[in-house]
């Protein structure tokens, strides 16, 4: 595919389209979800047929349960439970009102005593009222005095209890409260009976007047209760012939909804039977309830269900379409996140600087908040929502989808960049790094860990001994703990001493005592640190020595260069001045010119040597390697330098070599190397001595060895002789720049060869080596 077409898919217009698609689809998904809930709030639309749906079954079961409750739900046990709840509520209300009255004054901690005495007075008043009611009805209550009882007042019970007296107004309030609640408690049972009777009568009346449903309660084959019209014949047959019941069979055979009421209170069923027929049944095992929906209400409900079901199904289909569109736009945004047609890399935004887990938590909190706002609007919304409510719901959804898309795209960009920028990674990853760097397997760190683990285990053992063995266990645990603490103290002090020793050693070394030995004994880790510091000190000492030597050499270099340049320059200036004074016609002029020529050449050679030494040491020289015969090349050099060697008064003895020694070298540079070595021998060899030139092939190397006896004592090392401006004649009486051997060594390094010198007493040896090549190879 063309690169241009590949990058065009990252164009901003496609991203904008995907954003709009996702936000619009998100809003439509939320509206579709609202419509689904409004269409089917109880989740009862389970079939395309109303008779087979959970909605029809739920409505019929609810109606049947209401019939059962209306005729059998108000039992004595239920009344007793309700009575107990009612009395308990009265007593709580009584305590609250008494507390409000007593709370208006200072009781000095006697509140509970007042409340107990007043409750006793209330019980006495209840007994008085019950006795009076029984006397009025001509009944006798066992254990009660048939005379008129003395009235019980708040003032009397408080005085009898020896509690501080209250003011008259407060006493009247307390008596009034006792009177009110005594009356309510005495009438509590009658009140509950009245309430139950009213509820039962209302429930049964509502069932009789409701013509949308029909019911029949049957006991021993006879109908006890029903709202089926009398002209309809048998109520059970009429209910079973209803349109809904003809289509729905409760047991696969019989029409209609049937409920076995045999588990109901048999006495209630017997009473209902006696009320209906005026006689007691011979045998009674319970009652059966038959219910059904009227034909008109069933048809109306069925039509409404069909309309709702079609809308419900259409909404589901649209919801799937909106979800697919949202998924497509979401996938496109995730795929193109961070990509741009103008750049090849993944672009970074401000969201990518937020920790992934922290940002996710913040997003979750915001989404929960927006979800709560949406749910609040949703609960208050109806099917015909207003434009303002639609706007609020759309705003919540749009903001929620936008935040979700922004964060998802940030996650996508991080995945593409293979980043794990999370707070957990920063914390635990750093801990993991520190753990690895700490060397937990090392002796020192491992000992610390074992001390910690051992201390925790020891504390646990101490606690366990204390529980299991009492005082003895605690004592043993304390002993173990003391031993552990002593060991820990010793270990910590040992480590502290080691740290102190290392700190002192660092200070001494910092002050210049590079040979200071740090005290050891703090463990393997600390001993290794101490040894490392000592090695660093040794390195510092060596570096300082080398630097001092380097500074000394620089001083000597400047001195030597100044001396070597100043000497010919002074001669040149002197003889020029003489020529100016005596003129060119002077008989001394030829000698003066000869000296000027010699000194100027000397200055030129010195300048050339300095230039070549600088170029050789910097590596800024072109090297052209070619295959040479080392023996033949040495003969050519000696031939070209024959005038100089013959004038030197030295005897040059070249060893005979029958076979050639082939190497790869630059002929020009090698000529200069051998020439410098020969010049060095001419300058510093003992007068009328011999200079030996040998050839050697060993360990894959082809070497030239030049040996001579020095005229002056060689009281310096080989390395010192290789330094620049270093001369065997320390008094510097001989001609030379002191650069010859240094230049030769640099040239050999450029040609990948080796150049070294050896000193044995006054014997001076120069060795020049190259990697040997096959003698049979054609040039």
């Amino acid at each position: 595919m063309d690169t241009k077409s590949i990058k065009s898919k990252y164009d901003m217009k496609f991203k904008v389209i995907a954003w709009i698609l996702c936000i619009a689809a998100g809003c439509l998904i939320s509206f579709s979800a609202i419509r689904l809930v409004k269409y089917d709030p109880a989740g009862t639309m389970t079939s395309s047929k109303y008779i087979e749906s959970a909605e029809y079954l739920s409505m019929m079961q609810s109606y049947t349960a209401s019939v059962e409750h209306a005729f059998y739900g108000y039992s004595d046990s239920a009344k007793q439970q309700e009575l107990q709840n009612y009395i308990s509520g009265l007593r709580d209300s009584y305590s609250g009102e008494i507390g409000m009255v007593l709370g208006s004054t200072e009781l000095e901690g006697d509140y509970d005593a007042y409340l107990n005495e007043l409750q006793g007075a209330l019980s006495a008043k209840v007994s008085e009222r019950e006795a009076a009611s029984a006397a009025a009805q001509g009944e006798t209550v066992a254990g009660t005095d048939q005379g008129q009882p003395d009235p019980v007042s708040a003032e009397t019970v408080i005085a009898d209890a020896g509690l501080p007296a209250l003011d008259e107004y407060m006493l009247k309030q307390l008596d009034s409260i006792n009177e009110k609640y005594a009356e309510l408690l005495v009438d509590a049972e009658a009140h509950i009976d009245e309430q139950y009777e009213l509820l039962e009568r209302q429930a049964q009346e509502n069932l009789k007047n409701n013509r949308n449903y029909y019911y029949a309660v049957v006991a021993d084959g006879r109908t006890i209760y029903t709202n089926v019209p009398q002209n309809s014949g048998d109520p059970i047959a009429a209910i079973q012939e209803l349109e809904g019941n003809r289509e729905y069979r409760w047991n696969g055979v019989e029409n209609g909804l049937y409920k076995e009421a045999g588990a109901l209170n048999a006495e209630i069923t017997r009473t209902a039977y006696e009320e209906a027929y005026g006689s007691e049944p011979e045998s009674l095992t319970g009652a059966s309830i038959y219910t059904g929906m009227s034909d008109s209400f069933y048809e109306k409900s069925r039509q409404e269900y069909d309309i709702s079901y079609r809308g419900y199904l259409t909404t589901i289909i649209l919801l799937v379409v909106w979800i697919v569109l949202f998924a497509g736009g979401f996938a496109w945004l995730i795929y193109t996140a961070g990509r741009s047609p103008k750049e090849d890399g993944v672009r970074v935004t401000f969201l990518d600087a937020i920790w992934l887990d922290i940002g996710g938590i913040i997003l979750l909190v915001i989404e929960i908040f927006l979800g709560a706002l949406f749910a609040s609007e949703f609960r208050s919304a109806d099917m015909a929502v207003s434009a303002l409510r639609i706007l609020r719901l759309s705003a919540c959804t749009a903001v929620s989808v936008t935040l979700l898309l922004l964060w998802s795209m940030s996650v996508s960009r991080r995945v593409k960049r293979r980043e794990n920028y999370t707070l957990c990674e920063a914390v635990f990853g750093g801990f993991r790094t520190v753990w690895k760097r700490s060397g937990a397997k090392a002796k020192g760190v491992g000992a610390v860990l074992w001390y910690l683990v051992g201390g925790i285990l020891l504390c646990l053992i101490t606690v366990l001994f204390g529980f299991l063995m009492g005082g003895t266990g605690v004592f043993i645990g304390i002993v173990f703990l003391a031993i552990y603490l002593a060991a820990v103290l010793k270990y910590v002090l040992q480590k502290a001493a080691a740290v102190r020793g290392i700190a002192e050693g660092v200070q001494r070394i910092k002050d210049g005592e590079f040979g200071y030995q740090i005290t050891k004994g703090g463990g393997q880790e600390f001993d290794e640190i101490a040894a490392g510091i000592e090695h660093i000190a040794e390195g510092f000492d060596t570096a300082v020595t080398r630097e001092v030597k380097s500074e000394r050499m620089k001083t000597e270099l400047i001195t030597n260069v100044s001396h070597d340049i100043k000497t010919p320059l002074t001669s040149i200036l002197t003889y020029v001045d003489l020529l100016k004074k005596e003129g060119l016609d002077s008989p001394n002029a030829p000698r003066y010119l000869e000296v000027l020529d010699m000194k100027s050449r000397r200055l030129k050679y010195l300048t050339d040597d300095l230039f070549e030494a600088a170029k050789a040491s910097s590596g800024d020289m072109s090297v052209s390697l070619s295959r040479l015969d080392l023996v033949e090349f040495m003969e050519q050099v000696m031939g070209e330098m024959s005038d100089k060697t013959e004038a030197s008064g030295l005897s040059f003895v070249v060893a005979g070599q029958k076979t050639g020694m082939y190497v790869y070298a630059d002929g020009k540079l090698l000529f200069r190397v051998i020439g410098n070595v020969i010049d060095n021998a001419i300058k510093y060899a003992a007068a009328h001595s011999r200079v030996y030139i040998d050839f050697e092939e060993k360990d894959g190397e082809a070497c030239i060895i030049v040996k001579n006896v020095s005229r002056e004592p060689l009281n310096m090392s080989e390395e010192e002789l290789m330094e620049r401006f270093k001369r065997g004649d320390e008094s510097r009486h001989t001609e030379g720049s002191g650069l010859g051997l240094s230049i030769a060594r640099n040239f050999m390094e450029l040609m990948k060869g080796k150049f070294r010198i050896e000193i044995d007493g006054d014997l001076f040896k120069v060795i020049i080596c190259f990697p040997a090549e096959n003698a049979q190879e054609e040039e």
Side-chain angles (χ1 to χ4, degrees):
M1 185 182 292
D2 188 13
T3 305
K4 184 176 181 180
S5 63
I6 292 176
K7 290 189 175 181
S8 65
K9 64 184 178 182
Y10 300 135
D11 199 291
M12 182 59 67
K13 61 177 177 289
F14 294 111
K15 294 184 180 180
V16 171
I17 293 173
W19 269 95
I20 296 174
L21 182 63
C22 285
I23 294 175
C27 293
L28 291 172
I29 289 171
S30 63
F31 292 144
S32 298
I34 291 175
R35 288 185 62 84
L36 285 178
V37 174
K38 295 301 180 183
Y39 273 125
D40 189 19
T44 56
M45 288 191 176
T46 56
S47 175
S48 59
K49 293 183 178 180
Y50 176 60
I51 196 65
E52 297 176 358
S53 66
E55 179 177 332
Y56 173 78
L57 180 60
S58 175
M59 293 177 65
M60 293 306 302
Q61 287 177 339
S62 177
Y63 179 75
T64 304
S66 66
V67 173
E68 180 181 8
H69 185 268
F71 293 104
Y72 299 105
Y74 301 96
S75 61
D76 288 340
S77 60
K79 289 181 182 180
Q80 290 299 322
Q81 183 63 42
E82 186 67 24
L83 178 61
Q84 291 177 6
N85 295 336
Y86 179 67
I87 292 174
S88 177
L90 289 177
R91 292 193 178 277
D92 291 339
S93 299
Y94 171 78
S95 298
E97 291 190 26
I98 292 295
M100 291 178 63
V101 175
L102 296 177
S104 61
T105 184
E106 295 291 338
L107 298 179
E108 299 180 357
D110 294 330
Y111 173 80
D112 291 337
Y114 279 105
L115 183 59
N116 290 334
E117 296 300 327
L118 291 172
Q119 287 177 343
L122 176 63
S123 299
K125 285 184 177 294
V126 172
S127 299
E128 288 176 6
R129 288 183 174 276
E130 289 178 346
S133 177
Q137 297 176 5
E139 298 178 358
T140 302
V141 179
T144 60
D145 189 0
Q146 298 300 314
Q148 186 68 27
D150 295 331
V152 180
S153 64
E155 182 179 5
T156 303
V157 297
I158 291 174
D160 293 343
L163 296 172
L166 300 175
D167 61 70
E168 183 178 356
Y169 176 72
M170 188 175 294
L171 292 172
K172 287 182 178 180
Q173 285 184 303
L174 296 174
D175 286 335
S176 175
I177 293 172
N178 276 2
E179 289 289 343
K180 181 180 72 172
Y181 279 95
E183 182 178 356
L184 290 174
L185 288 171
V186 170
D187 296 338
E189 186 174 357
H191 173 76
I192 295 299
D193 289 340
E194 182 180 352
Q195 291 294 322
Y196 261 65
E197 183 179 353
L198 177 61
L199 291 173
E200 184 177 5
R201 191 163 53 249
Q202 288 178 349
Q204 293 178 5
E205 189 67 25
N206 291 336
L207 289 174
K208 288 181 181 180
N209 295 331
N210 187 356
R211 295 305 174 186
N212 292 331
Y213 298 92
Y214 292 107
Y215 68 88
V217 181
V218 178
D220 279 352
R222 302 182 67 177
T223 301
I224 303 175
Y225 304 111
T226 185
N227 67 339
V228 176
Q230 295 181 356
N231 57 4
S232 299
D234 183 14
I236 297 176
I239 290 175
Q240 291 180 342
E241 288 299 319
L242 293 173
E243 182 179 356
N245 285 346
R246 285 200 304 271
E247 297 185 31
Y248 178 82
R249 290 175 172 78
W250 66 271
N251 60 357
V253 179
E254 298 185 49
N255 298 342
L257 187 67
Y258 170 82
K259 180 173 180 62
E260 186 68 47
L264 298 173
N265 192 306
E267 291 300 322
I268 297 176
T269 305
R270 184 180 301 276
T271 302
Y273 188 92
E274 291 177 353
E275 291 176 355
Y277 297 105
S279 61
E280 184 177 344
E282 296 180 0
S283 63
L284 187 63
T285 57
S288 299
I289 300 173
Y290 295 86
T291 57
M293 189 181 292
S294 67
D295 292 342
S296 59
F297 186 68
Y298 172 79
E299 186 62 27
K300 177 183 176 182
S301 299
R302 186 181 61 79
Q303 292 176 359
E304 292 176 352
Y305 179 85
D306 291 342
I307 295 173
S308 298
Y309 186 79
R310 286 194 296 271
Y312 180 77
L313 190 61
T314 302
T315 304
I316 291 178
I317 295 173
L318 291 176
L319 178 61
V320 173
V321 173
W322 307 145
I323 292 175
V324 171
L325 291 176
F326 178 85
F330 181 81
W332 181 260
L333 290 176
I334 296 300
Y335 174 68
T336 60
R339 301 294 187 184
S340 172
K342 298 179 181 180
E343 300 177 10
D344 292 332
V346 179
R347 299 177 62 186
V348 179
T349 67
F350 72 96
L351 283 176
D352 300 340
I354 303 175
W355 276 314
L356 190 61
D357 44 4
I358 299 300
I361 293 173
I362 295 173
L363 175 65
L364 180 62
V365 172
I366 296 175
E367 292 289 348
I368 291 175
F369 174 73
L370 293 173
L373 290 179
F374 186 90
S376 176
E377 289 292 335
F378 165 71
R379 283 192 296 268
S380 61
D382 51 19
M383 292 301 294
V385 293
S386 63
L388 182 59
R389 181 169 292 164
I390 291 176
L391 182 61
R392 289 198 293 263
L393 290 172
S394 300
C396 287
T397 305
V399 173
S400 178
V401 171
T402 300
L403 293 176
L404 178 63
L405 290 175
L406 286 173
W407 193 246
S408 300
M409 293 173 68
S410 176
V411 174
S412 175
R413 288 191 294 270
R414 297 170 199 237
V415 171
K416 292 173 183 177
R417 296 197 307 271
R418 298 181 179 178
E419 292 181 354
N420 186 17
Y421 187 59
T422 62
L423 180 60
C424 291
E425 175 64 22
V427 174
F428 295 105
F431 178 78
R432 184 171 58 251
T433 302
V434 171
W435 174 265
K436 291 179 178 178
R437 291 175 57 191
S438 66
K441 295 182 179 179
K443 183 178 179 181
V445 180
V448 173
L449 294 178
W450 277 115
Y451 272 126
L452 292 176
V453 174
I456 294 173
L457 293 177
L458 187 60
C459 292
L460 293 176
I461 292 173
T462 303
V463 174
L464 183 61
F465 267 111
F467 279 114
L468 298 180
M469 302 181 63
T472 304
V474 173
F475 174 76
I476 295 174
I478 291 175
V479 171
F480 279 128
L481 185 60
I483 296 173
Y484 165 72
L485 292 176
V488 169
L489 180 61
K490 177 185 176 183
Y491 179 79
V492 172
L493 292 177
Q494 183 183 13
K495 298 302 178 184
V499 172
R500 178 61 183 169
I502 292 174
E504 183 179 357
V506 171
Q507 183 65 35
R508 299 281 288 273
I509 293 171
K510 185 182 72 172
D511 294 338
E513 297 183 34
F514 297 118
Y516 180 79
Q517 296 294 317
I518 300 175
T519 304
K520 309 295 191 301
Q524 179 182 352
E525 295 289 324
F526 288 102
D527 290 349
E528 289 178 358
I529 294 174
I533 294 174
E534 291 174 354
H535 292 158
I536 292 174
E538 293 174 2
F540 280 155
D541 191 16
T542 303
V544 169
T545 304
R546 187 185 299 114
E547 187 65 22
V548 171
K549 181 179 178 182
S550 175
E551 290 297 328
R552 178 175 55 80
M553 290 175 59
K554 289 179 182 177
T555 303
E556 292 180 358
L557 173 65
I558 295 172
T559 303
N560 295 335
V561 170
S562 300
H563 177 271
D564 289 343
I565 293 177
K566 185 177 179 181
T567 301
L569 188 59
T570 302
S571 299
I572 291 172
L573 293 174
T574 301
Y575 284 99
V576 168
D577 186 57
L578 290 173
L579 284 173
K580 286 181 179 179
K581 291 179 180 180
E582 297 181 9
L584 295 176
D585 297 332
S586 171
N588 295 324
R591 186 168 59 86
Y592 294 162
L593 289 174
E594 183 180 354
V595 173
L596 286 174
D597 180 64
M598 181 181 64
K599 296 300 181 181
S600 61
R601 287 179 181 277
R602 166 67 180 154
L603 188 60
K604 178 179 180 301
Y605 292 151
L606 180 60
T607 306
D608 290 342
D609 285 347
L610 285 172
F611 180 71
E612 288 187 354
K615 289 185 67 177
S617 62
S618 66
D620 187 19
M621 293 187 71
S622 59
V623 179
S624 177
L625 300 179
S626 59
R627 193 167 183 269
L628 301 175
D629 184 345
L630 206 57
V631 177
E632 183 180 343
F633 188 82
M634 189 65 191
E635 292 175 354
Q636 293 176 1
V637 172
M638 294 304 294
E640 294 186 19
M641 297 184 68
S642 60
D643 294 341
K644 185 181 292 188
T645 57
E646 291 174 358
S648 65
L650 300 175
S651 298
F652 284 84
V653 180
V654 181
Q657 181 76 6
K658 296 181 180 180
T659 59
M661 295 169 59
Y662 293 93
V663 297
Y664 276 94
D666 187 313
K668 182 179 178 181
L669 297 182
L670 183 58
F671 182 88
R672 184 63 188 274
V673 170
I674 298 175
N676 285 0
V677 173
I678 299 301
D679 286 341
N680 185 75
I682 293 173
K683 292 174 184 177
Y684 300 110
H688 308 294
S689 63
R690 294 183 180 84
V691 178
Y692 293 93
I693 300 175
D694 295 333
F695 301 96
E696 184 179 81
E697 205 167 358
K698 184 179 180 182
D699 298 331
E701 290 183 337
C703 301
I704 300 175
I705 303 173
V706 180
K707 296 180 289 185
N708 67 274
V709 177
S710 175
R711 182 170 59 247
E712 301 290 338
L714 295 174
N715 53 1
M716 60 186 70
S717 65
E718 293 88 344
E719 194 62 33
E720 287 178 324
L721 279 175
M722 297 286 285
E723 296 172 0
R724 295 181 183 180
F725 295 98
K726 199 70 175 180
R727 293 161 62 177
D729 178 15
E730 290 291 342
S731 61
R732 309 186 73 84
H733 292 310
T734 59
E735 293 288 337
S737 61
L739 294 171
L741 297 181
S742 176
I743 292 173
R745 181 177 63 176
N746 291 334
F747 282 177
M748 287 298 294
E749 290 176 354
L750 291 174
M751 292 185 290
K752 308 302 181 184
K754 295 179 182 179
F755 183 92
R756 68 180 187 271
I757 62 176
E758 294 179 1
I759 298 175
D760 186 5
D762 291 336
L763 178 63
F764 183 80
K765 183 190 295 185
V766 177
I767 304 172
I768 303 169
C769 295
F770 289 96
E773 298 296 328
N774 189 356
Q776 302 299 325
E777 182 181 350
E778 295 183 1
E779 297 184 7

